[in-house]
Amino acid sequence: MKVLGIETSCDETGVAVVEDGSKVLSNVLSSQHEIHARFGGVVPELASRAHVERLNPLLDVALAEAGMRWSDVEAVAVTRGPGLVGALLVGLATAKAIALALDVPLVAVNHLEGHIYANFLEQGPPEPPYVALIVSGGHTLLVYMPEEQRYEVLGQTVDDAAGEAFDKVARFLGLGFPGGPELDRLAREGDPAAVRFPRAMAGSGDYDFSLSGLKTAVVRHVRKEEREGKKTSVPDIAASFQEAVVDVQIQKTMAAAEEKGATSVLLGGGVVANSRLRQRMAEEAERRGLRLLFPSAELCTDNGAMIASVGYFRLIRGERSSFDVGADPGLPLS
Ligand code: KG4
Ligand code: ZN
């Protein structure tokens, strides 16, 4: 089954065609980073307008790259939430129009589930039970999956999301927006042990995360060094900050896998593009004999293929969305 996937929850317009939930026939993206960069964050109204302008041309590109005509589309999957409501509505309205015109099923899906299913695009689903860590610009979530499509949220951030923390610290260090990728690059030249930043909630005994204190600690440290006339090494700060984030994520994810008896760990979301997180998670999973899955870097960040994949797995279980399905900015994972 060839499913068209549409993703417009935030600042990337994504369209893809995926066959049988895992074979990517096309996956095209139009990023709005250049629009939002000068504001230092995503401006919702500008995001919606850009989706309106870009979605239709992108649909043509996605079909052409897949070597398909409209009549070859067998179902339409679209992100329903969580995300920016105006941005979500652009994708939803477009998906409904296509499904109606082609007389094919519509399935409106959860963006976070998409980040998990990005793992199945290249390698297909492993045997459950899994523990999944979703770390993106808007979310930090640790989830237990006793079986496919069943979610038990174990913990989440009590303040900033992981990507948000990366972006805020990167902005403070003068690295542009979104700063996560640049911070990652710079950290490779730095010493992760240069500064011992706090590992908030590492020993809290639960699966919640807190990152705003770490961000403040970075600011305090840099200001103190400035006052003392020391020259701050930006790569050292970046590497030390990154290490603190990664340490806590590894500790909580592994503790959850152990407690739940999970055999596989899945990672998803934009922050999983982080090279240090990938490397250290891989080492830790190997040490513990766990199977670790993470998508290729371009499938970690928002894209239409992950939405088409979730859509397929829901469709084959008989799920359909009606044409009055609405956008849900706070849609929980369930
Ligand atoms: O999943 P995503 O594309 O969008 C949301 O659903 O939020 O995640 C975007 C986030 C941004 O905060 C970005 O800075 C972060 O992922 N990110 C990274 C890296 N690549 C993207 N953070 C750290 N290291 C990276 N290499
Ligand atoms: Zn996302």
Side-chain angles (χ1 to χ4, degrees), residues 192-207:
V195 189
R196 176 80 192 171
F197 287 124
R199 270 68 174 157
M201 300 185 80
S204 62
D206 57 24
Y207 297 116

Side-chain angles (χ1 to χ4, degrees), residues 111 115 136-138 163 166-167 178 180-181 184 269-271 273-274 300-302:
H111 178 82
H115 278 306
S136 72
F166 266 95
D167 293 342
D184 180 0
V271 179
N274 185 269
C300 286
T301 44
D302 294 349

Side-chain angles (χ1 to χ4, degrees), residues 20-130:
D20 296 340
S22 62
K23 188 173 174 210
V24 181
L25 302 183
S26 67
N27 186 27
V28 293
L29 201 69
S30 174
S31 167
Q32 305 174 10
H33 292 164
E34 81 289 355
I35 295 177
H36 305 287
R38 67 195 170 103
F39 300 102
V42 178
V43 182
E45 176 63 23
L46 296 182
S48 309
R49 290 187 205 182
H51 287 308
V52 169
E53 283 167 13
R54 298 174 182 196
L55 187 49
N56 284 354
L58 217 53
L59 282 160
D60 289 333
V61 177
L63 285 186
E65 283 193 8
M68 285 166 52
R69 290 189 299 216
W70 280 110
S71 55
D72 299 322
V73 172
E74 290 167 273
V76 185
V78 62
T79 305
R80 182 181 174 211
L84 303 168
V85 69
L88 291 164
L89 283 171
V90 178
L92 263 177
T94 306
K96 287 178 189 177
I98 295 169
L100 192 64
L102 299 178
D103 193 21
V104 296
L106 170 76
V107 60
V109 306
N110 187 305
H111 178 82
L112 300 175
E113 190 172 19
H115 278 306
I116 293 174
Y117 273 71
N119 283 293
F120 307 153
L121 281 170
E122 291 149 325
Q123 36 214 335
E127 269 299 295
Y130 328 123

